[in-house]
Amino acid sequence: MKDKVTNVLISGVGGQGILLASEVLSEVLMLAGYDVKKNEIHGMAQRGGSVVSHIRFGTKVYSSIIPEGEGDILLGFELLETYRYLPLLRKGAKIIVNDLKILPPPVTLGKETYPDNVQAKIQQAFPDTLLVKGADLAKQVGNPRTVNMALLGAMSGALPIDNQLWTDTLRCMVPERFLEANLEAFTLGSRAALACS
């Protein structure tokens, strides 16, 4: 995989821990020896707006923006935000998606409706889709704010990274008082993905 550029998207809404997840992923990839470029777009992130992170890695990467139709992996923290970024994926791309629906402000205000069957539409367009019950995994840990690490754990098996490198990186980047919960969530996510493969 080091000979080509691999493109990973992480999408969701503000407050879901997307930025920490993309920082951890980028750090792990750099420690594994890859050239890594990262870019984030925050749309009113603190008010529940759209957030997307582009992470590209390989022997040499020249741009941080994933061209349309070239995404290899999409890690979605919310169903509709995952659906929104499908055009950036190549045919046959892998999707790991949280089973969560967060109503956007126009839906909450009654001006629009949340689209029907988003999960089914994602799976129909990209059969290599893994649905993760992120909130249930975080609940097992006892900390709902660890959903991001559970999802990152679910994606970890799709990348050529040794598990110890993930653990070492989390130990360096997560504050000590939250570390054990985040490590446990990461492990539960990884096991959940393995159970589905």
Side-chain angles (χ1 to χ4, degrees), residues 5 33 62 114 131 150 154 173 179 183 192:
V5 173
Y62 296 98
Y114 196 97
L131 189 70
M173 297 186 71
L179 180 59
L183 286 171

Side-chain angles (χ1 to χ4, degrees), residues 101-139:
K101 286 183 184 176
I102 297 176
L103 302 182
V107 174
T108 304
L109 295 172
K111 294 179 178 176
E112 294 183 26
T113 57
Y114 196 97
D116 293 329
N117 305 317
V118 173
Q119 176 186 326
K121 290 174 182 173
I122 293 169
Q123 291 174 314
Q124 186 175 27
F126 291 89
D128 193 4
T129 294
L130 172 65
L131 189 70
V132 179
K133 296 182 178 300
D136 290 351
L137 296 174
K139 193 179 219 179

Side-chain angles (χ1 to χ4, degrees), residues 8-186:
V8 180
L9 279 163
I10 303 179
S11 69
V13 300
Q16 290 192 287
I18 293 167
L19 302 183
L20 176 60
S22 66
E23 286 290 328
V24 169
L25 174 58
S26 297
E27 184 71 16
V28 165
L29 291 166
M30 284 190 287
L31 291 172
Y34 292 102
D35 185 29
V36 180
K37 298 286 186 292
K38 179 171 72 78
N39 191 333
E40 294 157 353
I41 299 169
H42 317 197
M44 304 275 288
Q46 292 184 339
R47 296 185 182 181
S50 181
V51 176
V52 64
S53 182
H54 294 223
I55 299 112
R56 308 185 76 208
F57 68 96
T59 304
K60 186 66 184 167
V61 181
Y62 296 98
S63 171
S64 61
I65 303 293
I66 298 173
E68 188 170 321
E70 294 187 22
D72 297 295
I73 299 171
L74 171 55
L75 177 60
F77 280 44
E78 195 277 336
L79 285 166
L80 190 56
E81 289 299 321
T82 303
Y83 186 70
R84 176 195 307 259
Y85 290 100
L86 295 185
L88 289 181
L89 300 180
R90 66 170 170 75
K91 185 177 179 182
K94 182 172 190 62
I95 298 176
I96 300 97
V97 59
N98 193 10
D99 69 342
L100 177 69
K101 286 183 184 176
I102 297 176
L103 302 182
V107 174
T108 304
L109 295 172
K111 294 179 178 176
E112 294 183 26
T113 57
Y114 196 97
D116 293 329
N117 305 317
V118 173
Q119 176 186 326
K121 290 174 182 173
I122 293 169
Q123 291 174 314
Q124 186 175 27
F126 291 89
D128 193 4
T129 294
L130 172 65
L131 189 70
V132 179
K133 296 182 178 300
D136 290 351
L137 296 174
K139 193 179 219 179
Q140 289 178 46
V141 173
N143 184 339
R145 299 187 70 163
T146 61
V147 171
N148 59 345
M149 289 305 130
L151 295 173
L152 203 55
M155 186 186 69
S156 65
L159 297 171
I161 306 293
D162 183 80
N163 196 49
Q164 188 62 47
L165 198 52
W166 287 102
T167 302
D168 293 345
T169 302
L170 287 171
R171 288 187 187 285
C172 291
M173 297 186 71
V174 175
E176 190 171 336
R177 67 182 192 275
F178 303 121
L179 180 59
E180 288 310 315
N182 279 276
L183 286 171
E184 188 177 346
F186 183 90

